[in-house]
Amino acid sequence: MTIQIVPLGAGQDVGRSCILVTIGGKNIMLDCGMHMGFNDERRFPDFSYISKTGDFTEMLDCVIISHFHLDHCGALPFFTEMCGYDGNIYMTHPTKAICPILLEDYRKISVERKGDRNFFTSQNIKDCMKKVIAVNLHQTIMVDDDLEICAYYAGHVLGAAMFYIRVGEESLVYTGDYNMTPDRHLGSAWIDKVRPDVLITESTYATTIRDSKRSRERDFLKKVHDCVADGGNVIIPVFALGRAQELCILIETYWERMDLKVPIYFSAGLTEKANHFYRLFINWTNEKIKSTFVHRNMFDFKHIKAWDRSYIDLPGPMVVFATPGMLHSGTSLELFKKWAPDSKNMVIMPGYCVAGTVGSKVLAGEKKIQIDAFTSVDVNLQVKNLSFSAHADAKGIMQLIRQCEAKNVVLVHGEKSSMGFLKSRIMSEFGIPCFDPANGTTISIETSHVIPIEMSASLLKKHLIRQSEVQDEGNEGLTSSSSPGDSSDDSVEHPKRLAPSVVKPKDKVLIQGMLVMDGSRTIRLEDADEALDNLGMAKHSVRFEVRKAYNATALRLSVEGDEYYKNLVRSSEGEAMDTDSGESPAADTLHDWDGDAFALDLVYVALQRTIGSHVKLARENGEIVVRSVKIRAPTDSDQFERGGLLVGWDYQDEDLATRILSIITLTLRDNH
């Protein structure tokens, strides 16, 4: 069985997330995003890879969107309404509610401000969202008879989800963007121990281990306060939902505590929209927000007001949260062009910036930035990069791999050099294959094929009883069967030591039975006797028999001179043996010598002392019987010479027979 993965976007790159997966004969598209670093046809994935003729609905079984960020959903209306995909689209309820708003903002900026053509319309967005099926966390959705998906909490932004996908016995997890660290308004990502064949994970911060969240918050507040105290303006580029709320809560609390009067603004309209969604989906926030929401809405800010474009020329310091977060368009770019030449001003970049955006050029330290063909800006303002990004760092990625116990890992949504470092670390630490395919590169991952088998209750019960007996036999052997020279004085109490099998459960146990397939092609493991009765078939028994030889002369000399064996003889004389014949060694055993009979008596006593308290022993017609194991002396009809005991057993008692043979060897001092 093989799982095939092809990144159409986000392969050794950040942006334009779009992963095509083939699993169990099903084709699934994971995310459908746009690239913020391009303004031409490269901003959308190359959908011609899926189909040259445009029959995408026939080729794809479903599309899954992890969250509402444009680099994960920005190309969705283009794919559905302009390329013609008409199949199912799955996302969470918050993502379905917020997606159309961000898509409409993106359309306005691209079409109405930049004049782009061949772009989706407002009606396209509405028609696209009609195809969406909203899912709840931990809800298993059957896309068809074979394909099932389940969403898990991812943190990152409101409504972000990781998706577990399974077809038959093959499975994978797609993380989208996630955060393993809780923050002021969202919890941390979590997933069951689903043990997927493949984990497809983002690797935005593959080589980063962040410092203390508290120290980052303190540094952020100090920089903002110092700048406005010197009369400068602070621009904080953010996306409308996510880090914006996190930083607004932080700065609102600080302004209240310090009683500061410097105005704080947020891009017009977005604050109201954010409050609406956080009220609507309060169950997606963390416990602190939920517990205080009834008494006070944490998102009703006292010090943060809506931004108006006329404020741009107001005198005096101010702080502005402006969208979008990478300075590639909108209010944040407009403010940056206005304030960049003044060294008193400051821009704080709280998140990741895709290569090619104005934000990435600012972080690279460029002092003159070409905005477009007609505009360039001198950059004299202070530039600070404080990572409040809600992506998992290297430690968080390793934590998720450990949490879900993935068998293979595929890295996407990261820079090539960083991916290479994390890839080698994953392979060395976990010992599992790791891949970092480029866009358009297909990787094939072999998976093991598991055949599910049902087990009959009677077989399981029988096995558990037998298993406990075998464990007890092993434990008894550790304590009771010493070397032949050890004293067997009954007055001396020996403390029992538990075998390791008692302390720790076994990972794998052997269960013997018969595989039966009925008309429904269901395979069952049944007890052999039960299955044969049901099928009306005669039982074919496999039995083994070996001769356990010993040196009769050496045994007699050992018995005559060894206290260990004399004690065994005394015990056999004094104890009431459970035997049908009532046979017992005579007082002059050592004189009226019958080697095989005496050996049989010694073995019986030894078995009583080692396994007799856990397994029933019997003496029948001169034989020792322990379940299917029979120990006897050879007769004239046997093709064995005298001077040895015959031990026979059925195949199902192989372990018990092995234990008994070792006891016989010890007892008879097999030195022939």
Side-chain angles (χ1 to χ4, degrees):
M1 303 293 285
T2 303
I3 297 176
Q4 289 188 329
I5 299 169
V6 188
L8 303 184
Q12 299 181 1
D13 186 19
V14 177
R16 196 176 50 197
S17 286
C18 185
I19 317 296
L20 187 63
V21 171
T22 301
I23 174 173
K26 307 293 181 179
N27 296 321
I28 305 163
M29 180 186 287
L30 304 172
D31 281 336
C32 187
M34 49 81 66
H35 201 297
M36 297 180 182
F38 299 112
N39 291 317
D40 52 21
E41 68 278 356
R42 292 175 296 174
R43 66 181 150 204
F44 295 146
D46 182 9
F47 298 121
S48 64
Y49 183 94
I50 304 173
S51 172
K52 302 294 183 185
T53 59
D55 53 343
F56 300 110
T57 306
E58 295 296 323
M59 294 297 297
L60 293 176
D61 291 276
C62 71
V63 174
I64 295 174
I65 303 297
S66 62
H67 63 289
F68 58 69
H69 278 160
L70 292 176
D71 60 330
H72 292 260
C73 71
L76 190 59
F78 177 82
F79 181 58
T80 61
E81 307 312 309
M82 301 179 73
C83 295
Y85 174 72
D86 195 38
N88 291 337
I89 305 167
Y90 296 93
M91 60 181 72
T92 65
H93 289 276
T95 303
K96 182 179 181 181
I98 298 168
C99 253
I101 297 170
L102 298 187
L103 288 169
E104 179 60 24
D105 285 344
Y106 175 43
R107 187 202 65 79
K108 285 181 180 178
I109 292 171
S110 299
V111 175
E112 297 177 9
R113 294 191 188 180
K114 294 183 178 180
D116 289 350
R117 298 181 179 180
N118 192 30
F119 212 82
F120 53 78
T121 65
S122 296
Q123 188 59 44
N124 288 152
I125 296 173
K126 295 175 183 176
D127 293 339
C128 170
M129 299 314 293
K130 292 176 182 177
K131 298 180 173 69
V132 172
I133 300 172
V135 302
N136 296 313
L137 289 177
H138 306 153
Q139 176 189 6
T140 298
I141 300 292
M142 297 301 300
V143 178
D144 57 28
D145 292 340
D146 302 312
L147 172 59
E148 67 177 68
I149 63 174
C150 182
Y152 288 92
Y153 191 80
H156 188 62
V157 293
L158 191 70
M162 301 183 283
F163 281 87
Y164 171 70
I165 302 164
R166 190 174 73 149
V167 180
E169 293 302 319
E170 292 183 305
S171 63
L172 67 85
V173 169
Y174 175 62
T175 66
D177 293 347
Y178 64 100
N179 189 7
M180 297 299 288
T181 305
D183 55 32
R184 290 177 177 267
H185 74 295
L186 294 175
S188 58
W190 183 88
I191 191 170
D192 287 320
K193 201 179 291 293
V194 292
R195 298 181 178 89
D197 292 306
V198 182
L199 170 67
I200 305 176
T201 175
E202 67 142 318
S203 53
T204 314
Y205 289 99
T207 58
T208 302
I209 296 180
R210 296 196 189 94
D211 55 1
S212 164
K213 182 171 175 286
R214 190 176 296 275
S215 67
R216 273 182 284 133
E217 291 177 346
R218 185 168 57 247
D219 195 20
F220 168 77
L221 294 171
K222 184 177 185 304
K223 283 179 169 55
V224 173
H225 195 170
D226 289 347
C227 182
V228 296
D230 291 338
N233 297 316
V234 180
I235 175 175
I236 306 172
V238 292
F239 289 102
L241 289 160
R243 293 310 86 200
Q245 281 66 44
E246 179 78 2
L247 295 176
C248 282
I249 293 172
L250 177 62
I251 207 166
E252 169 82 7
T253 305
Y254 183 77
W255 247 239
E256 183 73 22
R257 186 170 69 248
M258 301 298 292
D259 195 25
L260 298 178
K261 305 302 181 185
V262 176
I264 308 171
Y265 299 105
F266 203 117
S267 293
L270 292 174
T271 305
E272 292 79 3
K273 292 176 184 176
N275 281 338
H276 170 72
F277 290 125
Y278 277 96
R279 271 193 292 268
L280 185 61
F281 301 110
I282 188 67
N283 58 311
W284 284 77
T285 60
N286 63 22
E287 290 302 321
K288 183 178 180 181
I289 297 291
K290 283 189 255 188
S291 61
T292 60
F293 192 77
V294 176
H295 308 289
R296 176 176 176 264
N297 180 5
M298 293 286 285
F299 304 102
D300 285 338
F301 302 117
K302 174 182 175 183
H303 298 275
I304 302 175
K305 309 298 182 185
W307 169 258
D308 188 276
R309 293 184 68 184
S310 62
Y311 298 165
I312 196 169
D313 294 317
L314 290 178
M318 68 180 74
V319 179
V320 181
F321 289 93
T323 59
M326 299 187 189
L327 292 175
H328 56 282
S329 60
T331 304
S332 62
L333 181 58
E334 184 180 6
L335 285 172
F336 177 77
K337 289 190 289 186
K338 177 73 174 179
W339 292 348
D342 192 340
S343 61
K344 288 196 305 181
N345 298 329
M346 177 185 292
V347 58
I348 297 179
M349 305 297 295
Y352 183 86
C353 290
V354 172
T357 60
V358 174
S360 69
K361 296 175 183 177
V362 170
L363 290 175
E366 295 185 22
K367 292 300 180 183
K368 192 174 187 69
I369 296 177
Q370 194 73 29
I371 303 295
D372 52 42
F374 310 101
T375 311
S376 63
V377 176
D378 293 322
V379 181
N380 296 320
L381 84 175
Q382 305 167 60
V383 178
K384 305 296 179 184
N385 182 18
L386 298 175
S387 178
F388 284 92
S389 179
H391 292 270
D393 61 3
K395 183 179 178 181
I397 295 170
M398 302 294 279
Q399 181 183 343
L400 182 72
I401 296 171
R402 191 174 295 108
Q403 185 172 316
C404 73
E405 293 189 0
K407 300 171 187 173
N408 297 272
V409 176
V410 176
L411 302 178
V412 296
H413 200 281
E415 296 173 352
K416 182 178 180 180
S417 58
S418 301
M419 282 179 165
F421 174 81
L422 183 61
K423 175 182 175 180
S424 61
R425 185 180 170 193
I426 290 171
M427 290 191 293
S428 62
E429 185 164 329
F430 294 101
I432 58 177
C434 185
F435 309 87
D436 57 344
N439 287 332
T441 303
T442 302
I443 59 170
S444 298
I445 299 175
E446 295 294 329
T447 62
S448 58
H449 185 55
V450 178
I451 301 175
I453 296 176
E454 298 179 359
M455 182 189 297
S456 69
S458 59
L459 177 62
L460 180 60
K461 290 177 182 178
K462 181 182 291 187
H463 166 73
L464 292 176
I465 294 171
R466 183 160 292 181
Q467 184 71 18
S468 64
E469 291 175 352
V470 171
Q471 286 186 354
D472 288 339
E473 292 161 13
N475 297 336
E476 187 69 23
L478 283 176
T479 58
S480 299
S481 64
S482 313
S483 64
D486 288 345
S487 172
S488 59
D489 187 355
D490 291 339
S491 64
V492 180
E493 293 188 4
H494 299 283
K496 289 192 175 183
R497 299 191 304 260
L498 289 178
S501 59
V502 174
V503 179
K504 296 180 180 179
K506 293 184 177 180
D507 292 332
K508 297 180 180 179
V509 292
L510 180 64
I511 300 180
Q512 295 176 331
M514 181 179 289
L515 287 177
V516 179
M517 180 184 290
D518 57 21
S520 64
R521 303 187 67 82
T522 300
I523 303 176
R524 286 176 53 82
L525 183 65
E526 297 183 354
D527 178 71
D529 294 336
E530 180 184 342
L532 290 171
D533 288 342
N534 294 337
L535 295 172
M537 298 175 63
K539 181 178 180 180
H540 177 70
S541 178
V542 179
R543 188 166 178 83
F544 305 91
E545 190 169 54
V546 298
R547 173 176 173 266
K548 197 63 179 173
Y550 65 91
N551 188 312
T553 303
L555 177 63
R556 179 168 184 172
L557 292 174
S558 299
V559 171
E560 289 177 340
D562 198 321
E563 278 300 314
Y564 173 76
Y565 286 102
K566 288 181 180 178
N567 287 334
L568 287 182
V569 172
R570 294 190 196 102
S571 298
S572 66
E573 291 174 343
E575 294 176 1
M577 293 186 180
D578 181 16
T579 120
D580 294 334
S581 62
E583 295 175 354
S584 177
D588 58 348
T589 302
L590 299 180
H591 302 288
D592 300 331
W593 180 257
D594 182 346
D596 289 344
F598 190 75
L600 207 60
D601 282 332
L602 292 179
V603 168
Y604 182 76
V605 173
L607 291 176
Q608 273 191 321
R609 295 195 170 195
T610 52
I611 64 175
S613 60
H614 308 290
V615 184
K616 183 179 179 182
L617 301 177
R619 292 289 292 269
E620 300 173 354
N621 303 320
E623 298 179 341
I624 301 174
V625 180
V626 189
R627 288 211 293 251
S628 71
V629 181
K630 293 185 178 181
I631 309 165
R632 63 185 178 88
T635 63
D636 294 337
S637 62
D638 293 310
Q639 296 180 355
F640 291 104
E641 60 183 278
R642 305 284 290 189
L645 298 181
L646 298 183
V647 183
W649 66 91
D650 291 344
Y651 73 94
Q652 65 263 29
D653 284 322
E654 182 75 24
D655 290 341
L656 177 61
T658 302
R659 172 79 177 130
I660 290 174
L661 286 171
S662 67
I663 295 171
I664 294 174
T665 300
L666 178 67
T667 304
L668 300 184
R669 290 190 172 183
D670 190 9
N671 53 4
H672 61 285

